mmCIF file of all heavy atoms in Angstrom:
data_model
loop_
_atom_site.group_PDB
_atom_site.id
_atom_site.type_symbol
_atom_site.label_atom_id
_atom_site.label_comp_id
_atom_site.label_asym_id
_atom_site.label_seq_id
_atom_site.Cartn_x
_atom_site.Cartn_y
_atom_site.Cartn_z
ATOM 1 N N LYS T 1 35.527 99.276 192.024
ATOM 2 C CA LYS T 1 35.478 100.471 191.193
ATOM 3 C C LYS T 1 36.474 100.445 190.038
ATOM 4 O O LYS T 1 36.408 101.288 189.143
ATOM 5 C CB LYS T 1 35.693 101.734 192.036
ATOM 6 C CG LYS T 1 37.083 101.881 192.624
ATOM 7 C CD LYS T 1 37.197 103.176 193.419
ATOM 8 C CE LYS T 1 38.590 103.358 193.987
ATOM 9 N NZ LYS T 1 38.692 104.645 194.744
ATOM 10 N N ASP T 2 37.395 99.485 190.046
ATOM 11 C CA ASP T 2 38.308 99.310 188.925
ATOM 12 C C ASP T 2 37.659 98.571 187.758
ATOM 13 O O ASP T 2 38.265 98.462 186.687
ATOM 14 C CB ASP T 2 39.561 98.544 189.362
ATOM 15 C CG ASP T 2 40.395 99.302 190.380
ATOM 16 O OD1 ASP T 2 40.578 100.525 190.208
ATOM 17 O OD2 ASP T 2 40.868 98.668 191.349
ATOM 18 N N THR T 3 36.469 98.055 187.958
ATOM 19 C CA THR T 3 35.768 97.334 186.902
ATOM 20 C C THR T 3 35.508 98.253 185.714
ATOM 21 O O THR T 3 34.900 99.314 185.848
ATOM 22 C CB THR T 3 34.445 96.762 187.420
ATOM 23 O OG1 THR T 3 34.711 95.792 188.442
ATOM 24 C CG2 THR T 3 33.665 96.090 186.298
ATOM 25 N N ALA T 4 35.980 97.849 184.545
ATOM 26 C CA ALA T 4 35.862 98.663 183.341
ATOM 27 C C ALA T 4 36.444 97.894 182.167
ATOM 28 O O ALA T 4 37.068 96.840 182.337
ATOM 29 C CB ALA T 4 36.601 99.994 183.507
ATOM 30 N N VAL T 5 36.244 98.437 180.980
ATOM 31 C CA VAL T 5 36.967 97.974 179.812
ATOM 32 C C VAL T 5 38.258 98.778 179.729
ATOM 33 O O VAL T 5 38.223 100.013 179.739
ATOM 34 C CB VAL T 5 36.155 98.134 178.518
ATOM 35 C CG1 VAL T 5 36.987 97.699 177.308
ATOM 36 C CG2 VAL T 5 34.870 97.322 178.590
ATOM 37 N N TYR T 6 39.364 98.092 179.657
ATOM 38 C CA TYR T 6 40.673 98.728 179.602
ATOM 39 C C TYR T 6 41.185 98.715 178.170
ATOM 40 O O TYR T 6 41.196 97.677 177.505
ATOM 41 C CB TYR T 6 41.658 98.007 180.527
ATOM 42 C CG TYR T 6 41.438 98.312 181.985
ATOM 43 C CD1 TYR T 6 40.299 97.849 182.637
ATOM 44 C CD2 TYR T 6 42.349 99.077 182.705
ATOM 45 C CE1 TYR T 6 40.078 98.147 183.970
ATOM 46 C CE2 TYR T 6 42.137 99.372 184.036
ATOM 47 C CZ TYR T 6 40.997 98.903 184.666
ATOM 48 O OH TYR T 6 40.784 99.195 185.993
ATOM 49 N N TYR T 7 41.619 99.892 177.700
ATOM 50 C CA TYR T 7 42.058 100.064 176.326
ATOM 51 C C TYR T 7 43.533 100.440 176.280
ATOM 52 O O TYR T 7 43.957 101.388 176.946
ATOM 53 C CB TYR T 7 41.262 101.169 175.630
ATOM 54 C CG TYR T 7 39.790 100.892 175.478
ATOM 55 C CD1 TYR T 7 38.889 101.296 176.444
ATOM 56 C CD2 TYR T 7 39.306 100.239 174.350
ATOM 57 C CE1 TYR T 7 37.534 101.051 176.310
ATOM 58 C CE2 TYR T 7 37.958 99.994 174.204
ATOM 59 C CZ TYR T 7 37.077 100.401 175.183
ATOM 60 O OH TYR T 7 35.732 100.164 175.029
ATOM 61 N N CYS T 8 44.285 99.722 175.492
ATOM 62 C CA CYS T 8 45.645 100.130 175.206
ATOM 63 C C CYS T 8 45.623 101.380 174.327
ATOM 64 O O CYS T 8 44.766 101.524 173.446
ATOM 65 C CB CYS T 8 46.401 99.002 174.504
ATOM 66 S SG CYS T 8 48.149 99.355 174.199
ATOM 67 N N TYR T 9 46.569 102.277 174.573
ATOM 68 C CA TYR T 9 46.627 103.561 173.887
ATOM 69 C C TYR T 9 48.036 103.802 173.364
ATOM 70 O O TYR T 9 49.025 103.495 174.041
ATOM 71 C CB TYR T 9 46.231 104.679 174.860
ATOM 72 C CG TYR T 9 46.565 106.080 174.402
ATOM 73 C CD1 TYR T 9 45.683 106.790 173.594
ATOM 74 C CD2 TYR T 9 47.751 106.692 174.796
ATOM 75 C CE1 TYR T 9 45.981 108.082 173.179
ATOM 76 C CE2 TYR T 9 48.056 107.978 174.389
ATOM 77 C CZ TYR T 9 47.168 108.677 173.581
ATOM 78 O OH TYR T 9 47.467 109.952 173.183
ATOM 79 N N ALA T 10 48.120 104.365 172.174
ATOM 80 C CA ALA T 10 49.410 104.739 171.609
ATOM 81 C C ALA T 10 49.284 106.063 170.879
ATOM 82 O O ALA T 10 48.291 106.304 170.177
ATOM 83 C CB ALA T 10 49.932 103.665 170.658
ATOM 84 N N TYR T 11 50.285 106.921 171.051
ATOM 85 C CA TYR T 11 50.356 108.193 170.343
ATOM 86 C C TYR T 11 51.673 108.253 169.592
ATOM 87 O O TYR T 11 52.744 108.215 170.193
ATOM 88 C CB TYR T 11 50.232 109.370 171.310
ATOM 89 C CG TYR T 11 50.184 110.704 170.622
ATOM 90 C CD1 TYR T 11 48.994 111.183 170.083
ATOM 91 C CD2 TYR T 11 51.326 111.487 170.493
ATOM 92 C CE1 TYR T 11 48.948 112.405 169.435
ATOM 93 C CE2 TYR T 11 51.284 112.709 169.841
ATOM 94 C CZ TYR T 11 50.086 113.165 169.318
ATOM 95 O OH TYR T 11 50.040 114.372 168.680
ATOM 96 N N ASP T 12 51.559 108.365 168.277
ATOM 97 C CA ASP T 12 52.719 108.388 167.397
ATOM 98 C C ASP T 12 52.600 109.605 166.488
ATOM 99 O O ASP T 12 51.839 109.581 165.519
ATOM 100 C CB ASP T 12 52.787 107.097 166.581
ATOM 101 C CG ASP T 12 54.017 107.015 165.690
ATOM 102 O OD1 ASP T 12 54.827 107.959 165.672
ATOM 103 O OD2 ASP T 12 54.176 105.984 164.994
ATOM 104 N N TYR T 13 53.360 110.662 166.784
ATOM 105 C CA TYR T 13 53.219 111.892 166.008
ATOM 106 C C TYR T 13 53.817 111.795 164.614
ATOM 107 O O TYR T 13 53.661 112.713 163.809
ATOM 108 C CB TYR T 13 53.800 113.100 166.760
ATOM 109 C CG TYR T 13 55.170 112.905 167.370
ATOM 110 C CD1 TYR T 13 56.300 112.790 166.590
ATOM 111 C CD2 TYR T 13 55.317 112.875 168.754
ATOM 112 C CE1 TYR T 13 57.549 112.629 167.166
ATOM 113 C CE2 TYR T 13 56.562 112.718 169.338
ATOM 114 C CZ TYR T 13 57.680 112.600 168.537
ATOM 115 O OH TYR T 13 58.918 112.451 169.110
ATOM 116 N N ASN T 14 54.488 110.703 164.302
ATOM 117 C CA ASN T 14 54.993 110.468 162.958
ATOM 118 C C ASN T 14 54.027 109.665 162.097
ATOM 119 O O ASN T 14 54.296 109.438 160.920
ATOM 120 C CB ASN T 14 56.344 109.757 163.007
ATOM 121 C CG ASN T 14 57.443 110.639 163.553
ATOM 122 O OD1 ASN T 14 57.688 111.729 163.038
ATOM 123 N ND2 ASN T 14 58.119 110.178 164.596
ATOM 124 N N ASP T 15 52.925 109.232 162.668
ATOM 125 C CA ASP T 15 51.897 108.499 161.961
ATOM 126 C C ASP T 15 50.779 109.446 161.569
ATOM 127 O O ASP T 15 50.447 110.372 162.315
ATOM 128 C CB ASP T 15 51.361 107.361 162.833
ATOM 129 C CG ASP T 15 50.429 106.439 162.079
ATOM 130 O OD1 ASP T 15 50.906 105.487 161.453
ATOM 131 O OD2 ASP T 15 49.201 106.682 162.127
ATOM 132 N N SER T 16 50.186 109.210 160.415
ATOM 133 C CA SER T 16 49.143 110.106 159.928
ATOM 134 C C SER T 16 47.924 110.132 160.846
ATOM 135 O O SER T 16 47.233 111.155 160.931
ATOM 136 C CB SER T 16 48.733 109.719 158.509
ATOM 137 O OG SER T 16 48.221 108.409 158.459
ATOM 138 N N GLN T 17 47.614 109.030 161.510
ATOM 139 C CA GLN T 17 46.481 108.966 162.418
ATOM 140 C C GLN T 17 46.822 109.449 163.830
ATOM 141 O O GLN T 17 45.957 109.979 164.522
ATOM 142 C CB GLN T 17 45.939 107.534 162.469
ATOM 143 C CG GLN T 17 44.673 107.372 163.293
ATOM 144 C CD GLN T 17 44.068 105.991 163.142
ATOM 145 O OE1 GLN T 17 43.985 105.450 162.036
ATOM 146 N NE2 GLN T 17 43.640 105.415 164.267
ATOM 147 N N ARG T 18 48.045 109.279 164.244
ATOM 148 C CA ARG T 18 48.601 109.713 165.527
ATOM 149 C C ARG T 18 48.069 108.914 166.718
ATOM 150 O O ARG T 18 48.857 108.292 167.432
ATOM 151 C CB ARG T 18 48.388 111.217 165.748
ATOM 152 C CG ARG T 18 49.165 112.086 164.793
ATOM 153 C CD ARG T 18 49.104 113.543 165.208
ATOM 154 N NE ARG T 18 49.924 114.381 164.346
ATOM 155 C CZ ARG T 18 50.074 115.679 164.495
ATOM 156 N NH1 ARG T 18 49.446 116.311 165.483
ATOM 157 N NH2 ARG T 18 50.838 116.351 163.663
ATOM 158 N N THR T 19 46.751 108.956 166.959
ATOM 159 C CA THR T 19 46.174 108.290 168.120
ATOM 160 C C THR T 19 45.611 106.935 167.729
ATOM 161 O O THR T 19 44.870 106.826 166.748
ATOM 162 C CB THR T 19 45.075 109.141 168.755
ATOM 163 O OG1 THR T 19 45.628 110.394 169.161
ATOM 164 C CG2 THR T 19 44.484 108.438 169.969
ATOM 165 N N HIS T 20 45.954 105.902 168.505
ATOM 166 C CA HIS T 20 45.509 104.542 168.225
ATOM 167 C C HIS T 20 44.993 103.893 169.502
ATOM 168 O O HIS T 20 45.500 104.161 170.596
ATOM 169 C CB HIS T 20 46.651 103.696 167.651
ATOM 170 C CG HIS T 20 47.237 104.263 166.403
ATOM 171 N ND1 HIS T 20 46.743 103.968 165.147
ATOM 172 C CD2 HIS T 20 48.272 105.120 166.207
ATOM 173 C CE1 HIS T 20 47.449 104.614 164.237
ATOM 174 N NE2 HIS T 20 48.382 105.321 164.845
ATOM 175 N N TRP T 21 44.001 103.035 169.330
ATOM 176 C CA TRP T 21 43.382 102.322 170.442
ATOM 177 C C TRP T 21 43.320 100.835 170.164
ATOM 178 O O TRP T 21 43.086 100.405 169.036
ATOM 179 C CB TRP T 21 41.957 102.825 170.677
ATOM 180 C CG TRP T 21 41.876 104.265 171.072
ATOM 181 C CD1 TRP T 21 41.640 105.325 170.258
ATOM 182 C CD2 TRP T 21 42.029 104.793 172.392
ATOM 183 N NE1 TRP T 21 41.632 106.488 170.981
ATOM 184 C CE2 TRP T 21 41.867 106.195 172.290
ATOM 185 C CE3 TRP T 21 42.275 104.222 173.637
ATOM 186 C CZ2 TRP T 21 41.950 107.031 173.398
ATOM 187 C CZ3 TRP T 21 42.366 105.054 174.743
ATOM 188 C CH2 TRP T 21 42.193 106.445 174.612
ATOM 189 N N GLY T 22 43.508 100.045 171.222
ATOM 190 C CA GLY T 22 43.255 98.627 171.128
ATOM 191 C C GLY T 22 41.767 98.335 171.168
ATOM 192 O O GLY T 22 40.931 99.229 171.319
ATOM 193 N N GLN T 23 41.423 97.063 171.036
ATOM 194 C CA GLN T 23 40.019 96.661 171.028
ATOM 195 C C GLN T 23 39.382 96.724 172.412
ATOM 196 O O GLN T 23 38.156 96.816 172.525
ATOM 197 C CB GLN T 23 39.883 95.249 170.466
ATOM 198 C CG GLN T 23 40.235 95.146 168.987
ATOM 199 C CD GLN T 23 39.300 95.948 168.120
ATOM 200 O OE1 GLN T 23 38.075 95.833 168.221
ATOM 201 N NE2 GLN T 23 39.867 96.781 167.249
ATOM 202 N N GLY T 24 40.181 96.683 173.455
ATOM 203 C CA GLY T 24 39.683 96.715 174.815
ATOM 204 C C GLY T 24 39.601 95.330 175.417
ATOM 205 O O GLY T 24 39.292 94.353 174.729
ATOM 206 N N THR T 25 39.870 95.249 176.709
ATOM 207 C CA THR T 25 39.770 93.996 177.443
ATOM 208 C C THR T 25 39.023 94.255 178.747
ATOM 209 O O THR T 25 39.275 95.240 179.438
ATOM 210 C CB THR T 25 41.162 93.382 177.694
ATOM 211 O OG1 THR T 25 41.029 92.119 178.354
ATOM 212 C CG2 THR T 25 42.045 94.297 178.538
ATOM 213 N N GLN T 26 38.100 93.371 179.074
ATOM 214 C CA GLN T 26 37.239 93.554 180.237
ATOM 215 C C GLN T 26 37.960 93.143 181.512
ATOM 216 O O GLN T 26 38.531 92.053 181.591
ATOM 217 C CB GLN T 26 35.954 92.742 180.086
ATOM 218 C CG GLN T 26 35.012 92.824 181.286
ATOM 219 C CD GLN T 26 34.357 94.176 181.417
ATOM 220 O OE1 GLN T 26 33.867 94.730 180.433
ATOM 221 N NE2 GLN T 26 34.356 94.718 182.636
ATOM 222 N N VAL T 27 37.907 94.017 182.505
ATOM 223 C CA VAL T 27 38.378 93.711 183.850
ATOM 224 C C VAL T 27 37.186 93.836 184.788
ATOM 225 O O VAL T 27 36.561 94.894 184.871
ATOM 226 C CB VAL T 27 39.507 94.657 184.294
ATOM 227 C CG1 VAL T 27 39.839 94.451 185.772
ATOM 228 C CG2 VAL T 27 40.739 94.444 183.434
ATOM 229 N N THR T 28 36.867 92.753 185.479
ATOM 230 C CA THR T 28 35.750 92.740 186.413
ATOM 231 C C THR T 28 36.259 92.332 187.785
ATOM 232 O O THR T 28 36.882 91.275 187.931
ATOM 233 C CB THR T 28 34.649 91.778 185.959
ATOM 234 O OG1 THR T 28 34.181 92.162 184.661
ATOM 235 C CG2 THR T 28 33.476 91.802 186.935
ATOM 236 N N VAL T 29 35.988 93.163 188.781
ATOM 237 C CA VAL T 29 36.398 92.908 190.161
ATOM 238 C C VAL T 29 35.135 92.720 190.987
ATOM 239 O O VAL T 29 34.380 93.669 191.217
ATOM 240 C CB VAL T 29 37.258 94.044 190.722
ATOM 241 C CG1 VAL T 29 37.765 93.683 192.113
ATOM 242 C CG2 VAL T 29 38.424 94.341 189.783
ATOM 243 N N SER T 30 34.893 91.496 191.425
ATOM 244 C CA SER T 30 33.661 91.176 192.125
ATOM 245 C C SER T 30 33.859 89.952 193.001
ATOM 246 O O SER T 30 34.602 89.040 192.648
ATOM 247 C CB SER T 30 32.526 90.921 191.130
ATOM 248 O OG SER T 30 31.317 90.602 191.795
ATOM 249 N N SER T 31 33.189 89.942 194.145
ATOM 250 C CA SER T 31 33.261 88.809 195.041
ATOM 251 C C SER T 31 32.064 87.889 194.856
ATOM 252 O O SER T 31 31.036 88.268 194.296
ATOM 253 C CB SER T 31 33.334 89.276 196.500
ATOM 254 O OG SER T 31 32.200 90.051 196.843
#
């Protein structure tokens, strides 16, 4: 159930955009 795309997140209230996301990295847990 942890299988998902994981995204890095950053919140910077001094930046005009404030919220930022990484491109995402795939995590797959399977036997």
Side-chain angles (χ1 to χ4, degrees):
K1 68 179 181 179
D2 295 317
T3 296
V5 177
Y6 285 69
Y7 296 91
C8 184
Y9 166 86
Y11 185 82
D12 183 359
Y13 47 70
N14 291 304
D15 188 87
S16 61
Q17 185 171 317
R18 293 190 176 181
T19 300
H20 302 272
W21 297 96
Q23 293 296 309
T25 183
Q26 178 71 46
V27 172
T28 301
V29 185
S30 180
S31 59

